């Protein structure tokens, strides 16, 4: 969802937007929350009430990968990347593995 799309979604779904806002983590920066919130809005219609926890877990996997460089099972990462398609995170950190760093030092 683009920024304008998110604002339109919020206007049309005020109750859902208020629910999603309750899911913000205490330690999330504004930038992280804005991106994860977009992920939640983009996918919330695919998850009914008893499965909201599953969506929240997937949103944290995506955010942890993007902002902290956490690594997960490749199939799981592929799934959350598909779910996040179209969400742009400006100035996202770039992480390199130890092996990548060592390979560059040998050159």
């Amino acid at each position: 969802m683009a920024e304008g799309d998110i604002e339109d979604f919020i206007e049309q779904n005020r109750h859902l937007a208020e629910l999603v806002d309750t899911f913000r983590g205490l330690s999330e920066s504004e930038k992280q929350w804005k991106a994860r919130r977009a992920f939640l809005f983009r996918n919330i219609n695919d998850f009914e009430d008893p499965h909201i926890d599953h969506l929240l877990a997937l949103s944290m996997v995506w955010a942890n990968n993007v902002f902290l460089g956490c690594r997960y099972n490749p199939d799981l990462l592929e799934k959350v990347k598909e779910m996040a398609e179209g969400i742009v995170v400006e100035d996202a950190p770039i992480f390199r593995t130890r092996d990548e760093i060592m390979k560059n030092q040998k050159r």
Side-chain angles (χ1 to χ4, degrees):
M1 277 187 179
E3 185 70 31
D5 294 339
I6 291 173
E7 296 306 319
D8 290 343
F9 181 86
I10 291 170
E11 297 255 343
Q12 296 170 7
N13 299 283
R14 177 59 52 197
H15 67 285
L16 196 54
E18 290 172 4
L19 173 67
V20 167
D21 285 340
T22 66
F23 301 139
R24 182 175 183 174
L26 294 174
S27 62
E28 282 182 292
S29 70
E30 189 65 32
K31 182 180 187 175
Q32 291 169 335
W33 171 239
K34 185 177 176 182
R36 194 166 74 87
R37 185 176 184 227
F39 183 98
L40 292 168
F41 284 146
R42 187 178 194 298
N43 295 287
I44 199 158
N45 290 328
D46 297 333
F47 291 82
E48 297 285 326
D49 191 16
H51 303 288
I52 293 293
D53 285 347
H54 189 203
L55 174 60
L56 293 175
L58 292 170
S59 74
M60 291 304 297
V61 166
W62 176 75
N64 287 346
N65 176 257
V66 170
F67 293 105
L68 303 175
C70 296
R71 299 172 74 179
Y72 297 91
N73 175 292
D75 293 335
L76 177 60
L77 281 178
E78 183 178 332
K79 177 181 176 122
V80 296
K81 286 178 182 179
E82 286 173 8
M83 292 173 72
E85 192 172 313
I87 298 173
V88 177
V89 178
E90 293 182 23
D91 300 323
I94 298 172
F95 299 97
R96 297 186 319 176
T97 65
R98 179 185 170 281
D99 292 341
E100 291 170 335
I101 293 168
M102 296 305 289
K103 185 191 307 183
N104 287 341
Q105 287 180 350
K106 288 179 183 177
R107 290 183 186 174

